[in-house]
Amino acid sequence: PAEVARQDSTVPGQRKDFFEWFWARRDPDLVTPQNERIAEHFRRMAEVRRMFHLLHPYVRWHHSPAARALAASYDRDGFLAAAESGTVLDRYSPARLLMADARDNNDTIGRTSVYALANLSARGLIWLRHGRPDFWDREQGDFFASHEWTYYTADGPLTIGFEGIPGALGAHGDHIVAPPVNRHQARAVRTLLTTDGTSLPATLAARGWSAFFLEGGSGNTDLYVKATPGTAAAVLRDTVAEAEVARDRGGLMRLTAPPGVYRLALDVDSGGAVGRIREPVRLPVFSWASLGVSSLVLAPGDALSDRAAALEAMPADLTYPAGRAVATYAELYGLSRDSDGRARYRVRYSFAPVRSLVTRLERGAAPVVFEFDRESEWRGATLERLVIEPGRLPTGRYRVTLSVTDLPTNVKSETVALDITLR
């Protein structure tokens, strides 16, 4: 609905911008210069026009309010008859006494159904949105029977049912979306009807990390992203209008935006294999007024680096050679200032071994800790750096955190844990 409203309000001179925005949100591979989703859409359009066009596109009665109301009444009559038999009540939500109106799951626009506008049956519309289903029970039952499609997604399988228009002599005509019979089915149907997606595979398992820092004096937050293998690209979009806020590509990517919740799109491409992430990300608030700690950066080597050098040297897979030193880097914001213009704080680095239950029982799981009281000239951002000499950390996997306590106020802040491997 939001996209329909935006399209309807777009004046002719802004049509190009609208369609670029529309398709950019659906780009399945940000690394490539072309948008593969557009060609995929038109390939699907050719398929559904051949396979799922309406058998009677000009029979107005089938798309009239009277026909839809009649179909809904048949649904209710059928449910009441089944309910009286006492055989199917366990399939329905206890909160619902009647089966859902078919119109709740089949869009209508004025006096015309969305099927009539597209000249496609319900199965054609779902195929156009999501492509060929992963499971299709077309071999079960005759042509007039109800059919189900299932799509396997990262959030679990999504199933939607289709049936002919209910009538006194059984279902007939072009398939419509069958009303769901419980809450689980209703969520799956709603998801498939209100979303769309690419069928292009994303089989590459990429590794990487993200880090947050305060961006200069603007109050914005820098999001750094690094992934491996291959080439990567990332886009940050706001969650309301889905407008692009920041974009970058390469090895180490930097996306800058005001604090808040955004949608992060991250693609990694290696030799044609694609890894894809689409998920929300929260950019934290950093300020000079309250204590905050940036993300912790760990770089191999014994040099105390600045932010850019430390981030560039931090391996994307967070694996470090055991025979080398490890240098840390973090920025502390909002430390209090004493009468001499100095900041006093305590830092605590904790390297907690990540071990199996058996190993913890045999060797224990006590963390390796480095803790110091520090004093420095007060600045808006205080740099916290440490070089850990070779041999101070045995080989293995660790969950690393940095906690900072502002000593004058006894206020504490801690970084998000970072899992690393020394080998």
Side-chain angles (χ1 to χ4, degrees):
E3 290 177 337
V4 172
R6 181 164 179 171
Q7 175 183 263
D8 291 345
S9 63
T10 300
V11 299
Q14 297 175 355
R15 286 286 188 178
K16 182 175 183 292
D17 294 338
F18 169 80
F19 283 108
E20 287 180 348
W21 165 83
F22 180 89
W23 287 113
R25 296 176 55 202
R26 293 162 165 80
D27 191 346
D29 189 350
L30 300 171
V31 176
T32 59
Q34 69 274 14
N35 186 337
E36 294 84 356
R37 181 70 176 87
I38 299 175
E40 180 184 35
H41 170 78
F42 286 101
R43 285 194 298 270
R44 290 181 184 175
M45 180 68 79
E47 291 172 338
V48 299
R49 283 176 173 170
R50 175 175 54 86
M51 299 171 62
F52 302 110
H53 65 278
L54 295 187
L55 299 178
H56 306 286
Y58 302 112
V59 180
R60 293 175 180 269
W61 186 86
H62 284 288
H63 309 298
S64 67
R68 295 195 297 274
L70 186 61
S73 70
Y74 287 144
D75 281 342
R76 287 188 167 82
D77 292 344
F79 172 78
L80 290 175
E84 289 176 357
S85 70
T87 59
V88 297
L89 280 179
D90 58 331
R91 297 179 59 202
Y92 294 85
S93 164
R96 291 165 55 186
L97 298 178
L98 294 176
M99 190 174 186
D101 191 325
R103 292 169 293 184
D104 292 340
N105 306 285
N106 293 276
D107 291 343
T108 58
I109 303 175
R111 295 178 59 86
T112 307
S113 71
V114 69
Y115 309 127
L117 290 176
N119 195 20
L120 296 173
S121 70
R123 292 187 295 178
L125 291 175
I126 295 300
W127 187 298
L128 186 63
R129 286 179 172 274
H130 299 280
R132 178 182 291 274
D134 296 302
F135 173 76
W136 183 358
D137 68 346
R138 55 184 168 180
E139 297 181 357
Q140 300 178 18
D142 57 29
F143 176 79
F144 298 100
S146 175
H147 295 267
E148 287 187 341
W149 285 2
T150 299
Y151 292 89
Y152 300 127
T153 72
D155 298 323
L158 298 175
T159 299
I160 187 169
F162 308 98
E163 62 184 17
I165 299 175
L169 301 178
H172 64 89
D174 302 307
H175 279 84
I176 63 175
V177 174
V181 299
N182 54 48
R183 291 188 181 92
H184 175 75
Q185 288 186 11
R187 285 193 295 268
V189 169
R190 180 174 179 81
T191 299
L192 290 172
L193 288 174
T194 57
T195 62
D196 67 275
T198 181
S199 301
L200 299 178
T203 57
L204 182 62
R207 297 197 63 185
W209 50 258
S210 60
F212 301 98
F213 288 84
L214 178 64
E215 192 276 322
S218 67
N220 290 339
T221 301
D222 281 335
L223 165 62
Y224 292 91
V225 180
K226 194 173 188 179
T228 187
T231 305
V235 173
L236 209 59
R237 298 182 180 276
D238 68 56
T239 56
V240 179
E242 290 280 351
E244 183 176 310
V245 177
R247 175 188 292 260
D248 200 1
R249 61 177 296 159
L252 176 64
M253 295 169 285
R254 177 188 178 189
L255 307 168
T256 303
V261 179
Y262 297 87
R263 292 287 301 178
L264 173 65
L266 172 65
D267 291 340
V268 178
D269 193 316
S270 178
V274 178
R276 186 184 304 126
I277 291 177
R278 302 292 186 272
E279 63 183 26
V281 60
R282 179 181 294 276
L283 271 58
V285 178
F286 296 122
S287 72
W288 314 125
S290 59
L291 180 63
V293 184
S294 72
S295 296
L296 176 62
V297 180
L298 299 174
D302 55 4
L304 295 175
S305 306
D306 58 14
R307 182 202 294 187
L311 287 165
E312 195 66 53
M314 188 172 178
D317 60 0
L318 298 177
T319 299
Y320 300 80
R324 294 189 62 187
V326 175
T328 74
Y329 178 91
E331 296 177 6
L332 316 181
Y333 313 115
L335 288 169
S336 60
R337 175 170 44 182
D338 61 19
S339 57
D340 296 331
R342 301 186 67 79
R344 294 184 296 113
Y345 58 96
R346 176 175 296 127
V347 294
R348 186 178 191 271
Y349 295 87
S350 174
F351 290 77
V354 180
R355 293 171 176 167
S356 65
L357 176 60
V358 174
T359 306
R360 288 199 303 269
L361 293 175
E362 291 179 351
R363 304 181 186 177
V368 178
V369 174
F370 304 95
E371 188 169 10
F372 312 94
D373 284 352
R374 298 195 186 275
E375 182 178 326
S376 66
E377 181 181 352
W378 185 91
R379 298 183 181 88
T382 300
L383 306 186
E384 168 55 35
R385 295 178 289 192
L386 175 70
V387 173
I388 302 173
E389 297 174 349
R392 302 297 295 270
L393 292 171
T395 58
R397 296 182 59 221
Y398 293 91
R399 182 154 295 159
V400 189
T401 55
L402 167 64
S403 61
V404 177
T405 303
D406 185 34
L407 294 178
T409 61
N410 201 34
V411 174
K412 182 178 178 180
S413 183
E414 187 173 84
T415 63
V416 175
L418 190 67
D419 289 348
I420 69 168
T421 301
L422 267 69
R423 80 164 53 121

